[in-house]
Amino acid sequence: MDNAVALVQAYLRINGYFTVAEYPVLEARRHQPAQMATDIDILAFRFPGAVRQILGRGVGAAGASLSLPDPDLGVHRCAPDMIIGEVKEGRARLNESMRNPSVIGAALACFGCCSQEDAQAMVQKLLRKGRAENAEGHEVRLVVFASGGDGDARFQVVSLGHVVAFLRGYLRQHWSLLGHAQFRDPVLGLLMTLEKAADGAPDVGRS
């Protein structure tokens, strides 16, 4: 997996999203085998009110709620949220494939967020405004995670620098709970190692 995509996936998971990275979109051709037309860097879905918890030990022990969604994500907590994401190490922009209605339609179909009858209208609204809502009130958004650039009306931008700062701040804020944990996620594992190497271990609540 691309390093920047892995970074964004870790960030979204910490914020309560289920994720699919580098989702392949296949193109069927007459009299030829299907070929991969493109892949979508990140697809993510979050149920309303999701938080990340650590379970307490012992019977009846309470869990510790560790995170609410990052305000920079612009999550409406009262509704399910789906992100179709592009990840760029340079300037924020949408690839040509991400402006293709068929590709966006494939992303919607992956999560089954709308009927075939409603899909075309949702795709067109997404490509015009960067967000759309289905009949059940689920929000779908185009988000570009990039090193720079402000984007435009077609998509929201979250900087990769902010993603790194958020993850490091999350680990530092909850170090008393997370400092001895073993993460299988390679991004979080590396950030944990860097924090330990910096000072032996960061102080709880250090900014």
Side-chain angles (χ1 to χ4, degrees):
M1 185 188 303
D2 179 89
N3 288 334
V5 173
L7 179 68
V8 170
Q9 178 168 250
Y11 167 73
L12 289 172
R13 287 179 175 176
I14 288 295
N15 279 287
Y17 287 83
F18 295 97
T19 63
V20 179
E22 298 177 344
Y23 177 73
V25 177
L26 300 179
E27 181 180 25
R29 297 186 176 186
R30 183 174 296 181
H31 308 307
Q32 295 183 23
Q35 296 183 354
M36 190 172 82
T38 187
D39 60 22
I40 299 172
D41 290 336
I42 198 84
L43 295 173
F45 186 87
R46 182 182 185 278
F47 290 99
V51 295
R52 189 174 178 87
Q53 291 187 326
I54 289 180
L55 300 181
R57 290 183 177 272
V59 177
S65 295
L66 293 182
S67 64
L68 295 175
D70 178 10
D72 279 36
L73 273 172
V75 177
H76 294 165
R77 293 185 59 205
C78 60
D81 185 50
M82 177 178 168
I83 288 174
I84 303 172
E86 183 95 5
V87 180
K88 294 290 182 187
E89 294 191 23
R91 181 176 58 86
R93 61 183 179 85
L94 288 177
N95 282 345
E96 182 179 351
S97 60
M98 285 288 283
R99 299 192 297 271
N100 183 333
S102 297
V103 171
I104 300 300
L108 298 181
C110 176
F111 282 95
C113 76
C114 59
S115 67
Q116 290 185 340
E117 293 77 14
D118 296 335
Q120 184 175 359
M122 281 198 69
V123 167
Q124 293 304 320
K125 188 172 182 180
L126 270 170
L127 291 175
R128 289 196 317 271
K129 298 186 176 181
R131 62 176 64 222
E133 189 175 290
N134 71 4
E136 289 75 32
H138 299 188
E139 187 165 50
V140 184
R141 300 183 289 143
L142 295 179
V143 181
V144 177
F145 301 88
S147 297
D150 297 327
D152 57 36
R154 295 174 299 167
F155 55 85
Q156 177 184 347
V157 176
V158 177
S159 78
L160 292 179
H162 173 76
V163 169
V164 173
F166 179 91
L167 289 174
R168 298 192 76 172
Y170 170 84
L171 292 177
R172 291 169 177 176
Q173 182 180 359
H174 303 292
W175 191 259
S176 62
L177 293 171
L178 302 176
H180 300 288
Q182 298 294 320
F183 287 98
R184 294 188 180 273
D185 184 291
V187 170
L188 293 178
L190 175 60
L191 290 175
M192 290 279 289
T193 300
L194 291 175
E195 291 297 333
K196 291 175 181 178
D199 292 319
D203 297 330
V204 175
R206 187 185 69 185
S207 59

